[in-house]
Amino acid sequence: MSASDLVRSSLRGTAVSLRRMPGSVAASLVLVLLLIVLSGISPFLEPVALTKDLALGVTPAGTAGHPLGTDTLGRDVLLMSMAGTASAIVGPVAVALGSTLLGIVFGITAAWRGGLWDAVVSRACEILLALPVTLLAIVVAGILGGGYWVTVAVLVLLFAPSDVRMVRAATLQQLPRPYVESALALGMPTGRILTFHLLPNVAPIIWANLFVNVAFALVSLAGLSFLGFGVSAQAADWGRQLADGRAFIFQNPAASVVPGVLVIVAAAAINVAGDWASSRSERRAAR
């Protein structure tokens, strides 16, 4: 088969997959793609979005040159919302990746080694899970002086215990399987068994949880920004816009409604796309 035939076959397979895809999944994937693109161009939009026009002040949606109006500093709400995509998406992705990495390392090793190490990891997770995440994040961020990446680091530590327990439970289910016994009988190194045999078999669960964590972290970070933690007061951020917009909600409701809707839509789209990706991963693993 020639290269052109392979490309044609691949495109045909992609087209068939897209036709079979539920509308909600297709819409979610388009939204996720749009969020990724906006996150990439946000640094270029931010200088323009943060440009103040104090003489203009608050204007309602539909004002000439400002489709969603402006805030009290005369900043365009549409540009602010687009520029705020980076802080809304990059931080939650970092939280999800960091907590997932900790979950994989501590979860798999606790299940594999058992004994004292398993007990220490499990009790530490139980203690952290007993604490309210948002309240603890506020306290720790307040003690450490706040800041966007400090808040992200705190959320990584607070999200990790649930990941550790999930990966540990999934690994314990895999340990009695014949392929693990065969690997041990062949004398394979522990690191190779964990990395190349156990990890791929718990990967579908990890993938599903990764997207859920992104959605939860997005809401948590937006909530902390709303409360005054995370980003600076003048930064483009959906949570900060939502909080600032309350002061002039009757002059320009879009300044509060738009970032609030964006948080909900982005979290829902990431969840739906994550469920779809997880289901595909499970079907492939079952073949």
Side-chain angles (χ1 to χ4, degrees):
M1 184 181 286
S2 65
S4 61
D5 292 335
L6 284 173
V7 172
R8 199 175 297 119
S9 174
S10 175
L11 290 175
R12 194 179 299 121
T14 304
V16 171
S17 299
L18 289 175
R19 278 199 296 271
R20 291 176 179 172
M21 188 181 295
S24 59
V25 174
S28 297
L29 290 175
V30 170
L31 281 170
V32 170
L33 183 62
L34 182 62
L35 290 172
I36 293 172
V37 172
L38 283 175
S39 297
I41 64 174
S42 286
F44 304 101
L45 290 175
E46 193 164 7
V48 182
L50 294 179
T51 302
K52 301 174 185 175
D53 188 350
L54 297 176
L56 181 63
V58 182
T59 59
T63 303
H66 304 285
L68 297 179
T70 56
D71 62 11
T72 51
L73 299 176
R75 299 178 300 185
D76 187 89
V77 172
L78 176 59
L79 284 176
M80 286 284 288
S81 301
M82 293 172 67
T85 308
S87 68
I89 300 299
V90 174
V93 170
V95 170
L97 290 176
S99 64
T100 299
L101 182 61
L102 291 176
I104 291 172
V105 171
F106 287 97
I108 288 184
T109 56
W112 180 262
R113 292 179 63 86
L116 179 61
W117 176 241
D118 185 25
V120 169
V121 172
S122 297
R123 297 298 87 73
C125 289
E126 289 170 3
I127 292 171
L128 286 172
L129 285 171
L131 301 173
V133 173
T134 304
L135 182 60
L136 192 60
I138 291 172
V139 172
V140 175
I143 293 172
L144 296 177
Y148 183 73
W149 289 108
V150 170
T151 307
V152 168
V154 171
L155 288 179
V156 167
L157 293 177
L158 295 178
F159 273 56
S162 59
D163 292 346
V164 172
R165 293 188 67 175
M166 181 202 63
V167 175
R168 176 182 173 274
T171 306
L172 285 174
Q173 287 183 340
Q174 296 293 323
L175 290 182
R177 301 286 173 91
Y179 74 88
V180 177
E181 295 177 2
S182 300
L184 287 170
L186 290 171
M188 288 185 183
T190 300
R192 185 175 176 183
I193 297 174
L194 298 184
T195 306
F196 297 106
H197 295 279
L198 273 173
L199 183 57
N201 283 287
V202 299
I205 296 175
I206 294 173
W207 269 109
N209 195 62
L210 178 71
F211 284 92
V212 172
N213 275 352
V214 173
F216 272 113
L218 191 156
V219 176
S220 297
L221 267 177
L224 289 170
S225 297
F226 179 85
L227 296 173
F229 298 91
V231 298
S232 63
Q234 302 300 322
D237 179 88
W238 295 347
R240 175 64 66 178
Q241 284 179 257
L242 191 57
D244 293 343
R246 291 176 303 165
F248 50 91
I249 191 167
F250 295 111
Q251 290 96 335
N252 184 13
S256 288
V257 172
V258 170
V261 170
L262 285 174
V263 170
I264 296 170
V265 170
I270 291 168
N271 249 334
V272 173
D275 284 345
W276 174 77
S278 174
S279 299
R280 279 177 62 89
S281 177
E282 286 178 1
R283 284 198 297 271
R284 285 180 178 176
R287 289 174 187 169

